Amino acid sequence: MASGKQPLPNTMVAPDTGEVLTRGVRPFLVSYKGEAINVELPGYYPAGAGEGVHVGDDMAVVDEALRGLKEKIEGLLSPATIRRVRTKLNLSQREAGLLLKVGENAFDKYERGLIEPSGPTSQLLRILDRHPEMVDELR
């Protein structure tokens, strides 16, 4: 701002235009292989139409929606589904990684969305979700 004033809380100055942006949400369409879902995308937006600025975890809602579409279309399990199944099986992340032979830290990475499990790992988790008693056979 040219006057040297600081922006108000929940506002920021657009780096490219100098316009004051206000914290809010706007609808955003996430699409993947012909499927789509609308999400409310948080960010700093101009008063009228125009591009917003997204900071911190603002894009997490888009990432989550995309993972949900991938789960629906391709069968790749989302981090939330992986966490739910692992918890249902009463396994720590480390135990689950060792039991499924994917490494001690794999479930931490799966559940944080840093990496996606392989197809066979996803399939095995689906089976274990339906038949939790099979965990004992893996041990």
Side-chain angles (χ1 to χ4, degrees):
M1 300 180 133
S3 65
K5 292 183 181 178
Q6 295 295 318
L8 297 171
N10 293 322
T11 65
M12 75 177 291
V13 176
D16 55 343
T17 65
E19 183 178 7
V20 174
L21 306 176
T22 304
R23 187 81 178 150
V25 296
R26 294 228 174 135
F28 184 82
L29 185 66
V30 180
S31 56
Y32 183 76
K33 293 190 175 181
E35 294 275 336
I37 185 170
N38 275 304
V39 297
E40 292 292 312
L41 180 59
Y44 290 90
Y45 295 101
E51 296 293 317
V53 174
H54 304 99
V55 298
D57 290 332
D58 287 352
M59 297 301 291
V61 67
V62 173
D63 293 340
E64 186 176 330
L66 182 58
R67 286 188 189 102
L69 289 171
K70 284 183 174 183
E71 183 170 20
K72 178 181 176 184
I73 295 166
E74 295 182 0
L76 296 174
L77 299 181
S78 70
T81 299
I82 294 167
R83 184 177 304 109
R84 180 188 58 75
V85 173
R86 179 186 56 77
T87 302
K88 176 181 178 177
L89 299 173
N90 199 28
L91 296 170
S92 70
Q93 289 178 335
R94 184 177 183 280
E95 291 169 329
L98 293 171
L99 188 70
L100 274 61
K101 308 288 190 239
V102 293
E104 289 183 16
N105 299 317
F107 273 77
D108 172 59
K109 293 175 183 175
Y110 297 157
E111 292 177 19
R112 289 192 296 144
L114 299 177
I115 60 172
E116 294 176 344
S118 68
T121 299
S122 290
Q123 289 293 78
L124 183 54
L125 285 170
R126 258 193 213 82
I127 291 168
L128 290 172
D129 189 23
R130 287 191 300 269
H131 303 284
E133 70 281 0
M134 294 181 77
V135 165
D136 292 333
E137 288 186 43
L138 292 176
R139 289 191 167 114

